[in-house]
Amino acid sequence: MTVRSGSPGWYLRRLSRMGPREVGGRAVDTLRRRRWRRSAPPDPPAVTGARFTAVLPAGALAAVPPDAAKRLVATADRLMDGHAEYFGVPRDDLTDPDWWYDPRTGRRAPGGYAFDVPYRNEETAGDIKQIWEPSRHQYLTVLAAAYALTGNERYAERVAAHLRSWWAANPPLHGVHWISGIELGIRLLSWVWIRRLLDGWPGAAALFDANPVALHQIWHHQRWLAAFPSRGSSANNHVIAESAGQFAAACAFDWFPSSGRWRADALRSLERHLRGNTFASGLNRELATEYHGLVLELGLAAVAEADAAGVPVPAPLRLVLLRMTDALAAVVDDRSRPPRQGDADDGHGLVVDGTGTDRWASLLATGDAVFGRLAWWPAVTGTDVRTPLLAALVRPYPKDGTAPDVSRPARRPAHFADAGLTILRGPAGIWCRCDGGPHGFLSIAAHAHADALSVEVRHDGIDVLADPGTYCYHGQPEWRRYFRSTLGHNTLQLDGGDQSVSGGPFLWTRHARSRVLAADTGGAPDGGTARWCAEHDGYQGSVHRRRVELTAETRELRVTDEVRGPRRAARLAFHLGPAVTADLTGNRAVLTWTRDGEDRSAVLDLPERLNWRAHRGESDPPLGWYSAGFGRKEPATTLVGTGFTDSAHGFTTVLRFRG
């Protein structure tokens, strides 16, 4: 049964995942929204003599590598011509955008009081992600950065025209852009950087500091965020974006009587929630890698504003960012690609780079500049614009041991016990992620997938056994179900159901509990065998246990699945990456692909007790798809074996890499 967001059934399920304190807080929010609805938005306090002082230090722009600057300017020129792409949908209307238009469905969102807009209903409001994304104004930070690097005023003039257009079309509390706090937080951060990057332009002060419309918008954004923070079971990456944006604006636009209070409250919230959203190991608790990147970007940007404004930052906040950076360096493969785990919506905290810049290499480069790389970190060969700009603002982390609690791993971690994530590594770039961690974060686990005990295998950065990704959030429930289902991952499904029970597109009402039984990660890179074993209880009455062994000498990955419990119908799925071709004969699949012009291959011996079929690009129901990014999908081969479990026998799968 499909439960749509906003339906009575969804509200009941959502309410069941809240505690009394959250229910009380949301009741207060509801009353405040109704009160705000009954009166016009107030005028902000009068501001005179506002002056932006959080400028880039001298030499920051000169430190931008030429090739990174070239990519940025090329992207900015495409934007000037009106061309962009959001979530797989090309746009050619960005010379004069309609801020409420969704090009995917051709619909415009309705107007009216913000909290009355039915934004979850695609038939009424269109694809809300398509509408929201340009209004994060991260494409304007790119144009502003192009001005800063080139001095060409046409970029600055376009930024100014679009900001004035947006401000006129989106007065406070009116329409879809005043609904979600994460949008307001990221937009504020973009405005801070736009003002910073346009500082050399003669019209910058008139656009921001001396512009009553800009002051009105900045004040109302911060008033909104102070009134309606994400709370309780929703205090995930959204609250980080809200706090970071509020804090950045209160530091850089320190022009209002409430700025000091907003700044202090936002910093306390950021520290508390950044620690709450992060395991002690440094991995993000949502176990959705792209949100690890988003939260890390937001945290670094917030610290940059604090240091630029001379606002003391609590040591634990910097320490969390340090651990997040080390954890990212630990889990990436040989091509600096992190795991594809959980939801991913291509969200970024701060964008000042051109198309083609490697996001993860950029984060590691920033980590090196701010915290210092460790000997085991992977080499970063790419360049970016953001790193030298952030590094110019952020106070370098002490690297002489004088900082509190700066113990960092002497060797590359491979097993993250608190997150249940284990990386097995073998020769020739063999990389295997094993998932034995919690289902997700908080009571609703909003961005989790039903992927307990799944594996993800790469060879020299190529997805061989792939995590298919996310594809969509709203408006396409059958695709949302598939991409986060158990069958949509490299694990075992029983009786046609998921290991965890969904109550809606961002809600899980029952969570599978996993535990890692063994993790010996030291053998494979040195010529031995690395081993991992875990189990979960998601199938009531049965326990699924999986063992994975990676042997370096034979380049062999062995996966053994066992089920303790009654006889049940079973489906075992292995999703291949889009670059991999499979020739399936009986229970053996020969896999082939090309990397850098060189042919590669492997043999996948599948359990004989199951009947195997290859699926590719099927839509009713969906099966055999890979989503490289939000809003994009392409056919890929999925091998599915069907049969029955038997407590006396397990299923053994062997993947052997050739050459």
Side-chain angles (χ1 to χ4, degrees):
M1 180 181 68
T2 299
V3 180
R4 293 181 179 272
S5 295
S7 69
W10 177 83
Y11 277 114
L12 288 174
R13 288 166 173 77
R14 186 68 182 83
L15 185 64
S16 72
R17 307 304 293 174
M18 300 181 193
R21 185 172 182 178
E22 180 179 357
V23 171
R26 289 179 182 271
V28 171
D29 290 348
T30 299
L31 293 174
R32 181 177 290 119
R33 288 178 184 128
R34 290 176 179 174
R35 187 171 68 249
W36 284 19
R37 193 187 198 285
R38 290 194 294 266
S39 59
D43 291 328
V47 173
T48 57
R51 189 167 65 90
F52 185 85
T53 59
V55 298
L56 285 170
L61 293 169
V64 173
D67 58 332
K70 183 178 180 180
R71 285 195 306 272
L72 168 69
V73 172
T75 299
D77 287 342
R78 289 194 295 273
L79 289 168
M80 291 294 291
D81 291 336
H83 300 300
E85 180 179 303
Y86 293 110
F87 310 131
V89 178
R91 295 189 65 156
D92 58 6
D93 61 341
L94 284 195
T95 53
D96 184 19
D98 180 341
W99 303 107
W100 293 11
Y101 174 68
D102 164 30
R104 188 178 71 79
T105 65
R107 298 186 178 97
R108 290 189 84 247
Y113 180 59
F115 297 113
D116 292 340
V117 176
Y119 70 98
R120 294 188 179 97
N121 187 340
E122 186 173 288
E123 295 179 0
T124 302
D127 184 339
I128 194 62
K129 290 283 289 179
Q130 289 287 345
I131 296 171
W132 277 345
E133 193 68 17
S135 288
R136 291 185 171 188
H137 290 169
Q138 292 175 326
Y139 79 97
L140 295 182
T141 56
V142 170
L143 292 176
Y147 164 75
L149 288 170
T150 66
N152 191 326
E153 294 192 4
R154 69 189 185 105
Y155 300 119
E157 290 164 356
R158 176 64 58 81
V159 171
H162 281 204
L163 284 177
R164 292 190 176 104
S165 168
W166 194 93
W167 290 333
N170 296 278
L173 299 179
H174 181 78
V176 294
H177 297 303
W178 290 89
I179 294 172
S180 175
I182 188 174
E183 304 305 316
L184 278 76
I186 291 177
R187 192 156 53 240
L188 276 177
L189 183 59
S190 294
W191 292 352
V192 168
W193 274 88
I194 289 168
R195 176 62 183 87
R196 173 174 290 128
L197 292 165
L198 293 185
D199 191 64
W201 180 51
L207 178 63
F208 279 96
D209 316 14
N211 183 357
V213 176
L215 297 174
H216 188 76
Q217 286 277 351
I218 293 168
W219 185 82
H220 272 285
H221 271 66
Q222 295 187 82
R223 175 179 181 253
W224 193 109
L225 289 171
F228 302 113
S230 293
R231 60 177 79 247
S233 56
S234 293
N236 54 10
N237 64 85
H238 283 231
V239 77
I240 304 295
E242 294 160 11
S243 300
Q246 176 83 299
F247 179 72
C251 286
F253 302 137
D254 184 19
W255 302 331
F256 307 102
S258 297
S259 292
R261 174 171 55 83
W262 286 337
R263 183 169 57 244
D265 290 348
L267 183 58
R268 281 193 297 269
S269 173
L270 183 63
E271 180 195 2
R272 178 165 68 92
H273 289 293
L274 192 60
R275 286 189 287 109
N277 274 251
T278 309
F279 287 112
S281 65
L283 290 179
N284 184 265
R285 286 185 182 271
E286 292 199 75
L287 295 174
T289 309
E290 281 212 4
Y291 287 114
H292 182 107
L294 172 65
V295 168
L296 181 54
E297 289 170 355
L298 290 166
L300 290 168
V303 168
E305 296 307 326
D307 289 351
V311 176
V313 174
L317 193 155
R318 292 186 195 264
L319 182 59
V320 171
L321 298 176
L322 167 63
R323 288 176 172 163
M324 290 184 72
T325 306
D326 280 341
L328 176 62
V331 300
V332 296
D333 65 19
D334 286 8
R335 299 276 178 149
S336 295
R337 293 181 61 218
R340 284 167 53 90
Q341 184 180 19
D343 271 350
D345 71 349
D346 296 358
H348 291 256
L350 173 65
V351 181
V352 290
D353 273 286
T355 302
T357 301
D358 187 320
R359 174 189 195 172
W360 307 104
S362 171
L363 271 172
L364 291 176
T366 303
D368 183 8
V370 173
F371 302 117
R373 60 176 287 114
L374 296 174
W376 53 261
W377 274 32
V380 176
T381 56
T383 61
D384 68 321
V385 174
R386 187 178 59 189
T387 289
L389 301 189
L390 282 177
L393 296 172
V394 176
R395 175 171 57 82
Y397 202 76
K399 304 178 180 66
D400 57 2
T402 60
D405 193 18
V406 293
S407 57
R408 299 175 70 182
R411 299 181 61 186
R412 189 176 202 170
H415 175 57
F416 296 80
D418 48 11
L421 184 146
T422 305
I423 304 293
L424 307 182
R425 298 179 187 270
I430 299 173
W431 175 98
C432 175
R433 172 182 65 86
C434 303
D435 180 6
H439 174 62
F441 182 47
L442 302 173
S443 61
I444 63 173
H447 292 297
H449 290 187
D451 57 355
L453 309 196
S454 64
V455 296
E456 183 184 3
V457 181
R458 299 178 192 157
H459 185 270
D460 197 17
I462 293 290
D463 291 311
V464 179
L465 302 183
D467 183 301
T470 299
Y471 177 54
C472 66
Y473 280 170
H474 301 282
Q476 302 175 76
E478 70 282 8
W479 291 100
R480 177 65 171 152
R481 284 196 304 272
Y482 169 69
F483 275 99
R484 67 181 196 148
S485 70
T486 297
L487 186 62
H489 295 83
N490 298 316
T491 188
L492 183 68
Q493 181 198 59
L494 298 184
D495 290 342
D498 288 335
Q499 307 149 337
S500 296
V501 177
S502 172
F506 298 97
L507 170 64
W508 296 92
T509 56
R510 183 171 61 79
H511 303 180
R513 295 176 301 179
S514 302
R515 61 173 183 151
V516 176
L517 303 175
D520 178 7
T521 60
D526 301 323
T529 298
R531 296 178 174 87
W532 173 88
C533 181
E535 65 183 21
H536 77 83
D537 66 355
Y539 299 118
Q540 294 183 338
S542 298
V543 173
H544 173 206
R545 177 175 292 183
R546 168 169 279 186
R547 295 192 303 275
V548 178
E549 297 179 343
L550 175 58
T551 302
E553 183 177 359
T554 57
R555 298 189 182 185
E556 175 182 290
L557 185 80
R558 182 178 294 266
V559 180
T560 302
D561 292 292
E562 299 172 347
V563 177
R564 298 197 310 275
R567 175 181 168 90
R568 304 177 74 162
R571 286 198 289 184
L572 181 60
F574 289 106
H575 300 262
L576 308 182
V580 177
T581 299
D583 182 4
L584 177 64
T585 303
N587 69 307
R588 168 168 285 193
V590 177
L591 314 181
T592 55
W593 65 94
T594 301
R595 168 54 112 176
D596 297 333
E598 181 181 344
D599 292 337
R600 310 282 181 88
S601 65
V603 174
L604 185 62
D605 284 321
L606 301 158
E608 295 180 353
R609 294 179 53 241
L610 299 175
N611 297 315
W612 290 91
R613 283 188 56 196
H615 303 263
R616 185 177 180 87
E618 300 172 9
S619 298
D620 189 18
L623 187 59
W625 296 90
Y626 179 93
S627 174
F630 196 83
R632 292 173 284 153
K633 68 179 188 299
E634 60 185 299
T637 300
T638 297
L639 305 174
V640 178
T642 59
F644 294 89
T645 62
D646 182 343
S647 292
H649 302 89
F651 305 124
T652 298
T653 304
V654 181
L655 175 64
R656 297 182 181 88
F657 292 94
R658 294 171 167 173

